[in-house]
Each structure stands twice: as C-alpha cells, then as structure tokens.
Amino acid sequence: MAGGRYNLNPRSKSPILLIFLSLFAISVLFFLFSLSPNTRPDYYNNPHPTRSPETSFVASLEDFLAHRAPKPRSDDTVTATDNTDDVVKALDDSMYTIETERLVHRDSYYPFSTPIRVYVYEMPFKFTYDLLWLFRNTYKDTSNLTSNGSPVHRLIEQHSVDYWLWADLIAPESERLLKNVVRVNRQEEADLFYIPFFTTISFFLLEKQQCKALYREALKWVTDQPAWKRSGGRDHILPVHHPWSFKSVRKFMKTAIWLLPDMDSTGNWYKPGQVFLEKDLILPYVPNVELCDAKCLSETEPKRSTLLFFRGRLKRNAGGKIRPKLVAELSGAKDVVIEEGTAGEGGKAAAQNGMRKSIFCLSPAGDTPSSARLFDAIVSGCIPVIVSDELELPFEGILDYRKIALFVSSSDAVQPGWLLTFLKSVGPAQIREMQRNLAKYSRHFLYSSPAQPLGPEDLVWRMMAGKLVNIKLHTRRSQRVVKESRSLCTCDCRPANITNPGLLS
C-alpha cells in the first residue's frame, strides 16, 4: 500500500491470491446459475427491478402522454413532388443489397434470425397522438355506450393491442426488455413495417362521417408509401383488433398482416379471402379483471365451490346464438351460476369474484367466435370451457391450449345433462394440473409497459418470425409475375377455420 491507497496493479498480487479470487468468482457464478428462475435475485430476472410493469391501459396511457410528448419532427408523408417509381426502385435496390449482405456475410441463420427489424411509420398526429388524447380526455364519460349497451371506452381498452405494441416499439431502447424485435430508423433495413393508426379509438369516438373520412385519409397515406408499393403491403402490419374497425376501407389493404381478435369464417365480419392464419395474427383481448397471482390462487383454491360460472350477455348475434340455448340448459342447475352481465366497476367486480370462486368458467362464442371472457378466466385461475366451434386462438403455434382449457362442441354442449356430466367427470388431479398451468400461462395474456419477456407483445414477434420467409416469398413473387400469371397464389383446399373436427366430415 502506498500513500494511503491500495495498489490495484494486478501484477502486485501473488499468483496464489489471483487463483483463489478466480475460483471464488466462478463459485459465485455457478451458484447463481444453479438457482431456479424463481429463487434467483430479482435483478437477475428483471433488468429494471425498480420499475414494475403497468398493466392498466388508462394508467399506462396517462404516463405515456405525460412523459413521451412528441417532439416536432417531419413525418413519412409522401408529397406530390416525389417521383414514386424511382423511390420505390431505389428502396427495393437498397433492401436487396442489405438482405444479400445479411444472407452471405453477416447472419448464418437469415432469414430465420432475430431480432426482427421493424420500421414504425411516423404518421401525422391525427392518426396517432391526437386519438390517444381524445380517449384520455373522454374516458371518464361512462354514458357513452354502444348499441348493445357496452361502455365504449371499456371496449377500446379491451382492443388496445395497437397501443401496447406501438408504445413498446417506440420506447427508448434502454427501457425496453424485449430482445426479439428492434426498431430501425431506415426503411431499407426493415423486415416489417408497422402502421400506428388507432383504428378502434377512431371508430368509437369520432362521428361516423368524420371517422370514414379519416379512414380514407389513412388508406391513401399508407398506400402512397414506397414500401407499400414495393411489396403490395405484404410486409405491413395493420392493427384492426375490433371487428368493426377500419371496416369501410380495409378491403383495400387485405394483403397486409392484420392483427385480429379471431377469424370469423361466417362472413359476418370479414369477407372471404380477407383473413387467414397463414397471413394474419390472432391477438388476445386485454383482460377486464385483475390478475389472480400466486398468492391469490393459493387463497382462492379452497374457496372454489362453484362448478361452472358464466357472467355476460345472455343474448348475442351470429355465433353467439348458442348462448340462450346454454342458458336454458344450465339455469337452475346445482353449483352452476349463470348471470346477465352489467357494465361498470360493479359488473367487473362481480365477474372477478365469480371467476375466483369457480372451478370452470363457460366461454361461449359472442358476436364473433372469440370472447374477452376467455382471457378473464385465464388470469383468474378458472379453467375455461370453450363452446365456440370456429374459434381461432392467439399464439397457438407456441401455446398448447389443451393444457389450460376444455373444448366442447356446440352440439354436445346443448344436449340435456351432457355438459355437467362431462365437467363432473374431470378428476381432481387433472383440475389441479390445469390450474397450475393457468398460473404459468397467465403471463402470456398480460399486456404491460414495459412489455415483458413472454408477454403477449413478445409472443407477437415470435409468431411474426415464423411468417417472414413466406412474406418475402410472396413479395418477390408479386414483383416478377407477368400478366398471364396467376396474380395470387392460392390453395382452394384450404380448410375452414373450424375447431370441431366433426363439422368437417
């Protein structure tokens, strides 16, 4: 030691001491890696342990608007003076150069590699921030209802997937936790293009004609983009999670990747050829109830005395016509609770309490094959009983829903006594296993800020990675076909979106 300070020169330490310190460091690292993820220090699981994830859309939006006020910037609007053909060709040439470089020199796994590179369009504020502010300034107006009595702002929250994805993509990289997707600032570097237009907010909160006019403006704005013209929109992501949103013009963007709540094959919501699994992506609704976490599950397990629970609209259109039949079959049965849903915080609390007291939760089709109730049941630890023959599910290329839910055909469910007999035949061991799986699966359906690894935002990009090669195939094919070629590569034998195999025979 000299001058009152330790000599930090490593050459001054004895070889034995250096060996001892190295062995000690290795032992500490081995100990940390040997711990299960649940017992590792919190900072090991969460790179930002001081910031807990926010799962409330309203709370997250308030924070977003308060701390991420947009700075003056030029957007990506194409002007009338742009020579579009030249710009499209220049973009295509640049993308070819970068893709070739990645393929030959830089990336052994391209095009299967991650992170996916996403270009987020800078759209005029009337398509983005202005709509978020409109929601923020009006969401306390609970008198604003749809024609069937549903609170408009709650519907927007249920379908707010466009907000959660966009907020994560544009967040500072230092605040992001997802590693399988990265925002790029140059279009030629992008694998995919994200369109940040809030189609659901505009549908519900603007006057009808004002909304249609904005839809037409958005359509022109996007389809004028050189990147759209280059690919015909095949590498563009369009969030249209509410089945009514963007309905008047979306047929002109049917080549894009649509983010959907389900795939209604009856033609009530989507026209034939507009949506299919190979092109589009199913995303979960935002749950309407609070997460029943590990402590909650432990406390509620012995209190789950109700065999089957349902609270919601007892009459629906289209596929939801199964509901009155189920009500007639199940009403008055022992250990079964069937209730008409009500709006507001009281209705939310009643649904949450009912699900936490029940073993099984009925999840029939609504106006579309899907229902937000399914995801409420999952985060409540209540085993979903799905009666929706044409249902498609989120992230099914990754998640196995047979581990957490029971699937029942509509024809069986309405047979006298069949459904309750079936549920009573499920043994305690299988129930406990499915409840444990629900606890593990809940994280996949909780949107949050910051977006969490294995949360729904993360699984979106994992699913997108599986689509990339096909997107590039159809983009390149569309660029070289001649007028005598088939303009679309289709397969007439594609099966319908039907869950019940008996309906295919």
Side-chain angles (χ1 to χ4, degrees):
M1 188 166 70
R5 298 178 183 273
Y6 286 103
N7 186 346
L8 300 180
N9 185 349
R11 296 178 182 176
S12 67
K13 299 187 183 294
S14 68
I16 295 176
L17 180 58
L18 287 174
I19 293 172
F20 171 79
L21 291 173
S22 298
L23 290 173
F24 176 75
I26 291 171
S27 300
V28 171
L29 288 173
F30 179 80
F31 170 74
L32 287 174
F33 276 103
S34 68
L35 293 174
S36 69
N38 292 332
T39 56
R40 291 176 188 169
D42 185 61
Y43 63 81
Y44 195 90
N45 289 318
N46 184 1
H48 302 279
T50 57
R51 185 184 177 192
S52 59
E54 178 57 71
T55 58
S56 163
F57 170 63
V58 171
S60 176
L61 180 61
E62 289 278 9
D63 181 75
F64 178 90
L65 293 175
H67 298 101
R68 292 194 198 167
K71 299 177 181 177
R73 88 286 192 257
S74 59
D75 57 45
D76 289 322
T77 300
V78 175
T79 63
T81 58
D82 291 334
N83 189 330
T84 306
D85 290 342
D86 290 343
V87 174
V88 172
K89 184 179 185 306
L91 176 62
D92 187 53
D93 290 343
S94 296
M95 294 184 78
Y96 169 77
T97 300
I98 290 174
E99 289 173 353
T100 302
E101 176 71 16
R102 291 174 68 184
L103 176 66
V104 177
H105 299 295
R106 290 195 297 170
D107 193 338
S108 301
Y109 299 98
Y110 178 81
F112 299 102
S113 56
T114 56
I116 294 177
R117 304 177 183 196
V118 178
Y119 184 85
V120 182
Y121 279 122
E122 293 282 4
M123 298 186 75
F125 289 167
K126 61 185 174 183
F127 301 120
T128 56
Y129 287 95
D130 290 354
L131 292 171
L132 292 179
W133 276 109
L134 177 61
F135 176 91
R136 187 264 179 199
N137 292 334
T138 61
Y139 76 88
K140 294 181 180 178
D141 179 11
T142 56
S143 63
N144 195 353
L145 304 176
T146 65
S147 58
N148 62 13
S150 299
V152 161
H153 291 81
R154 180 55 209 148
L155 274 178
I156 292 172
E157 290 183 59
Q158 285 184 347
H159 296 278
S160 60
V161 302
D162 43 12
Y163 164 77
W164 295 106
L165 287 171
W166 184 60
D168 174 65
L169 285 171
I170 68 172
E173 199 59 34
S174 60
E175 297 179 12
R176 298 184 66 249
L177 305 182
L178 304 190
K179 303 303 179 186
N180 60 357
V181 60
V182 62
R183 181 187 185 186
V184 294
N185 295 318
R186 297 166 56 204
Q187 294 192 13
E188 58 265 33
E189 295 179 346
D191 296 310
L192 297 169
F193 294 80
Y194 186 81
I195 304 168
F197 177 37
F198 294 102
T199 57
T200 301
I201 293 178
S202 51
F203 177 82
F204 282 111
L205 297 187
L206 297 180
E207 295 294 333
K208 185 175 181 180
Q209 295 307 317
Q210 184 185 9
C211 175
K212 286 187 174 182
L214 190 66
Y215 281 178
R216 291 192 294 270
E217 288 184 56
L219 171 66
K220 184 178 188 308
W221 191 96
V222 173
T223 55
D224 279 348
Q225 293 296 317
W228 178 278
K229 293 179 180 294
R230 172 189 171 272
S231 68
R234 292 170 179 83
D235 52 5
H236 283 56
I237 300 171
L238 177 66
V240 282
H241 198 260
H242 193 281
W244 294 344
S245 62
F246 218 47
K247 192 173 182 181
S248 59
V249 298
R250 64 190 181 198
K251 64 183 178 182
F252 301 109
M253 300 179 73
K254 64 182 181 181
T255 54
I257 306 160
W258 291 6
L259 305 183
L260 302 163
D262 56 37
M263 292 186 179
D264 170 38
S265 62
T266 66
N268 289 313
W269 304 104
Y270 309 111
K271 300 303 179 184
Q274 285 187 346
V275 297
F276 48 94
L277 286 174
E278 292 80 6
K279 176 178 76 76
D280 305 306
L281 195 62
I282 307 296
L283 271 65
Y285 293 73
V286 176
N288 187 41
V289 299
E290 303 297 329
L291 170 68
C292 188
D293 58 17
K295 181 174 181 292
C296 166
L297 290 170
S298 176
E299 293 174 349
T300 58
E301 183 176 356
K303 301 176 183 178
R304 293 183 182 267
S305 57
T306 300
L307 176 67
L308 181 64
F309 177 81
F310 175 81
R311 182 181 174 84
R313 300 292 180 187
L314 301 183
K315 294 182 180 180
R316 284 295 199 187
N317 298 315
K321 292 179 180 178
I322 186 69
R323 292 191 181 189
K325 298 177 182 178
L326 290 170
V327 171
E329 166 60 21
L330 297 170
S331 292
K334 182 181 179 183
D335 298 328
V336 174
V337 175
I338 304 290
E339 298 175 339
E340 177 72 35
T342 54
E345 289 302 313
K348 173 182 175 179
Q352 178 169 294
N353 292 336
M355 288 182 172
R356 292 185 180 186
K357 293 178 181 178
S358 304
I359 299 171
F360 299 105
C361 283
L362 188 63
S363 180
D367 291 340
T368 64
S370 67
S371 168
R373 194 159 293 96
L374 167 62
F375 308 103
D376 291 346
I378 290 173
V379 301
S380 299
C382 187
I383 300 170
V385 180
I386 298 174
V387 185
S388 182
D389 298 334
E390 300 187 24
L391 178 66
E392 298 295 346
L393 292 162
F395 318 131
E396 202 163 9
I398 299 171
L399 307 179
D400 186 349
Y401 285 84
R402 298 173 302 170
K403 305 299 182 184
I404 61 168
L406 300 175
F407 293 86
V408 177
S409 71
S410 297
S411 58
D412 285 339
V414 296
Q415 294 299 315
W418 189 95
L419 184 58
L420 294 183
T421 300
F422 170 67
L423 295 180
K424 292 174 182 177
S425 71
V426 181
Q430 183 180 355
I431 289 173
R432 286 193 297 271
E433 181 182 2
M434 296 183 81
Q435 288 172 336
R436 287 194 296 268
N437 289 336
L438 283 170
K440 297 174 185 176
Y441 271 51
S442 289
R443 67 189 297 185
H444 304 315
F445 305 101
L446 293 173
Y447 296 91
S448 65
S449 178
Q452 300 294 298
L454 296 180
E457 301 94 334
D458 187 23
L459 296 193
V460 163
W461 302 112
R462 292 174 186 250
M463 291 290 292
M464 285 292 183
K467 296 179 180 290
L468 270 183
V469 173
N470 205 42
I471 291 169
K472 293 179 183 296
L473 181 157
H474 285 284
T475 296
R476 288 302 183 196
R477 183 182 181 280
S478 70
Q479 292 170 329
R480 58 87 178 161
V481 295
V482 294
K483 62 182 180 181
E484 284 80 12
S485 301
R486 286 177 298 143
S487 60
L488 294 176
C489 184
T490 61
C491 177
D492 292 334
C493 62
R494 182 186 295 124
N497 296 322
I498 296 178
T499 301
N500 180 11
L503 295 178
L504 294 175
S505 57

